[in-house]
Amino acid sequence: MIPVISHIFLQQYWWIIISLMGSVLVFLMFVQGGQSMLFTLPSDNSERTLIINSLGRKWEFTFTTLVTYGGTFFASFPLFYATSFGGAYWLWTVILFSFIIQAVSYEFRSKAGNIIGQKTFDIFLFTNGSLGPFLIGVAVGTFFTGVGFTLNEMNQVSWNNDWRGLEALGNIRNIALGLAVLFLVRLNGLLFLLNTIDNDSIRARAAGRIIMNSLFFLVFFLYFMFKLLVSDGYFYTNTGAIEIEEHKYLHNFIEMPFVMIIFLAGVLAVVYGIFKAIAGKSNNAIWFTGSGTVTAVMGLFLIAGFNNTAFYPSVADPEASLTIVNASSSLFTLKTMMFFSFTVPFIIAYIWYTWKALTSRKITIEEMQGEGHKY
């Protein structure tokens, strides 16, 4: 007998997929973290080229994951996609533009006939590395702080200001999460470079920056978490009505202990990776901070959407707030997509294989002076 797959099961299933992909994206932004240090970590242009080529071997993973994440969000929760991109389009435009100039930079930085110079493309990479993670963190922060939109009976979005998403920069909690993400990806970027570059000068300077970036990350992350756990949140009743609940996200952790466990396990893994790196055992620290990043961020996504929580609250009209129930695709669409999601393990296996192949040996300056491909 074929089991009946309910709509709510598929909505929860796809929110888990969305949460996993979002957390993997945050980890893969170690590429952006490394780019944000292009003008402070290397001592000369040859070392800068070495760093760019180490990161360049992985930048397509991040870019592809970002595009796939956006497409999956659109297909599974189209009302969120339409509301956020249709209303907060200036914020998303800046984010997407920063990733476009990243792709252009890796493609043309070392090409013959480059008329604007390598330094211009290096500035583009620095801009993407600094601005991209920060603004993505700010955008995710609005999942908890809310935004000002209304929806009519045809689900057409109206924004309550002309800033179109940039007003999120006026909320200190969003800023804190944005900075926490920025310093986390910088930390992961440093650990990745220590793991893949054979250059004593770069390794010495990278090791010296781990403590500073770790401290900044912990300060902003702990501030955001404290404010989150004492803040109110929106929840939806069985009739679909939206109401305010005090300490909603704290209650979500308590009422979903498995989510709390994976979140705390992620935080502890990041902290353990930091201590390993500080102790001079940085060769595999990236795997602790990386796995911790994935599980901790996934925990945040899960408390944002599960336990009858509105994952995109509207501060202008609470009844317009989006949930995994009212923002999802139809039963047929989600069911059809579910069968395609079964290919995810094979995709992960392919990524792992190519990752290992591309980092089988550490990159050196001598390699950059050869005739092979260079970014």
Side-chain angles (χ1 to χ4, degrees), residues 61 287 347-357:
F61 288 140
W287 300 117
I347 296 173
I348 293 175
Y350 172 75
I351 291 175
W352 177 259
Y353 172 78
T354 54
W355 179 292
K356 295 289 288 185

Side-chain angles (χ1 to χ4, degrees), residues 26 73-74 139 223 227 252 263 304 312 318 322:
V26 174
F73 223 142
F74 168 73
Y223 172 82
K227 297 295 289 185
N252 283 358
F263 173 78
Y312 204 53
L322 302 186

